[in-house]
Every structure is written in structure tokens, then in C-alpha cells.
Amino acid sequence: MEIAAAGGHSVLMVGPPGSGKSMLAARLPGILPPMSDAESLETAAVQSLAGSFTMRRWRQRPYRSPHHTASGVALVGGSSVPRPGEISLANHGVRFLDELPECDRKVREVLREPLESGHITISCAARQGEFPCRFQLIAAMNPCPCGYLGDTTRACRCTPDAIARYQGKISGPLMDRIDMQIQVAALTTEELMSTAPGEASALIAQRVASARERQQVRQQKANARLSVQEIDEWCRPEASAESLLRTAIDRLNWSALAYHRVLRLARTIADLSGTPTVDAAHVSEAIQYRRALSTNRS
């Protein structure tokens, strides 16, 4: 989640029930960098259109987590007068989508364009409205219908066909637009009962802020928002890293979108380590963050 926060990357978490996916998503706003004046004003303006802005939310990054049964209109917006929906109300914040395969297919697929462009146009009768929606998507799903594929404590009851159908609900074009696809394992009894303190969110937030500052100085935007031309300029890997990436593309049959997202992700990992170049270690780690479902399917 630190890498996702540092680069503004979208994430799909795959894991059994009770593994902490929702908790991790809810904690993400706490490690994101502070909002700029422009982001705060734009977010307040969108929330005001929906009648949900209050001063206590000023400079607070939105966190929206509507139920997976929410309609497409609730997600993107609409009515007789165009009004912002959930993805716009999450502008410059986090949009958590739980039980991703259980969402209506139209709801899932409508996310594709906003994830790419950062805005959405709503047409109602003779009126049209365009709203910003530069949100950070955090989605979660079980690895199979029963939820326990790959779990070490419970046996999966699902057939291979049922697993393939369940995971196949997430289309290839949508998966290509999600930067990180990670497995979240359930805690063992020893881990659950352990009283060892974890790392404070404030320390993680400092590293995230430092990485974002490097990105602002270099390219004036988060790595997740880099265009193809900017990726060629700022994310070019070293020779050894390029060879590793070429092998991964051939073996995993990646699309151009997936290739560019791995480069963005590797650039963020390099920023967190304070390294000016993208080397093989950064690319190798980025590749591992895009194999959650492919690993389960094998």
C-alpha cells in the first residue's frame, strides 16, 4: 500500500474473507500526501454540487466505499440535471470497491475510461456535464467463489471451471488498467496473537511524501498519471531491467497498457528508494505486483 500511495496507483487485492482487505483500503488515506490548494478547491467544488461538502472535510482526501450493489447511475452520476456520482465524489481521494466480481458488469466496465482519462462526461436529455474523477481505485475480491483458494487453513471447495468463471468476470481491459494486483493472505494464529508493534503510519506517510515530492520536481504529477510519451522520458529502464521486462512481456502475454503500468510502478519503487534510475530490482518487484490472479489460476 505504501507503493500505491507513493505513486497514486490503483490496486486490486485478492485474498480470503477476513484477511484485512477492507481495513487496508480504509487506512490508505492516512498515508497519502497532503492535498494541494488546487486539489482541495476542486474536491470541495464537486462535493458542493452533490450537497455533501462541509468545512470539517476541507483538505481531507475523500474515501468512498459504496456497496457493490450500487447502480451505474450512483457510480458515475446523472439525473435530470447532471450531478456527480461516486467516482467524482472520490476525486483526489480513494474509491474502494469491495467484492469486485459481484458488481454489475456495466458498473465494472464504466470504470475503464475514468481510470484512464481522469474525467467523465454525463449526458442527460438536452444537458451535458463533465466532472473530474481523478480517484485512486482500491478494489478487493476473493480468489474463488468460496473464498479459500490457496488458503493454508481451509480447503477450497470450488471446481476449476467455477474458479475460472469467477475470476473471468474481471475483463482483461479492466485488469490492464489496474496497476497493482496483489495477494493478501490471512494472518496465522501466531501473527494474530502477536503484540509486536507495527510501523507507525506517520513514518510511512513521510516516505510517501518524499517520493511524491521527487515526482513533482521531475514531472509535476504522480507517476500513475504519466502519459506514454512521459513514460518514455522518465521511466526508461536500464539495460538489464529492459531485458527482464522483455522476458516478462513474452511469458505473460502483456498488452501495451500492462507494459506501461509496470514501468510506472517500477518508477515509483525507484522513487521510494531514492534511486534516479529504474534498475532490474525495481522492475522485478513491479512485475510481482501484477500476478495475483495469474498465480491463482495456475
Side-chain angles (χ1 to χ4, degrees), residues 6 206-216 268 271-272:
Q206 289 177 5
R207 295 197 296 268
V208 168
S210 296
R212 282 287 186 103
E213 180 62 26
R214 294 185 184 100
Q215 295 162 37
Q216 289 298 320
T268 297
D271 287 336
L272 278 169

Side-chain angles (χ1 to χ4, degrees), residues 84 101 121 155 181 231 266 268:
T121 301
Q181 301 154 20
I231 291 172
T268 297

Side-chain angles (χ1 to χ4, degrees), residues 166-186:
Y166 183 78
Q167 294 187 0
K169 292 180 179 180
I170 315 302
S171 69
L174 178 57
M175 287 293 288
D176 279 347
R177 287 166 170 80
I178 299 178
D179 297 344
M180 302 177 67
Q181 301 154 20
I182 59 177
Q183 290 181 310
V184 181

Side-chain angles (χ1 to χ4, degrees), residues 13 32-33 41-42 51 55 58 79-81 83 110 120 127 161-162 194 220 226 235 240 265 270 272 295:
M13 294 182 286
L32 290 174
L41 288 170
E42 186 176 70
M55 279 304 299
W58 176 248
S79 79
S80 57
V81 177
R83 296 174 65 85
V110 80
I120 190 164
R127 302 188 180 187
D161 285 346
S194 173
Q220 293 77 54
L226 291 174
C235 305
S240 59
L265 196 55
L272 278 169
T295 300

Side-chain angles (χ1 to χ4, degrees), residues 8 85-86 106 127 138 143 188 206 225 232 238 245 267 276 281 283 293:
E86 286 291 336
K106 293 180 180 179
R127 302 188 180 187
I138 308 297
T188 64
Q206 289 177 5
R225 297 298 176 186
D232 292 338
E238 294 182 342
L245 191 55
R267 178 67 266 177
V283 169
L293 286 183

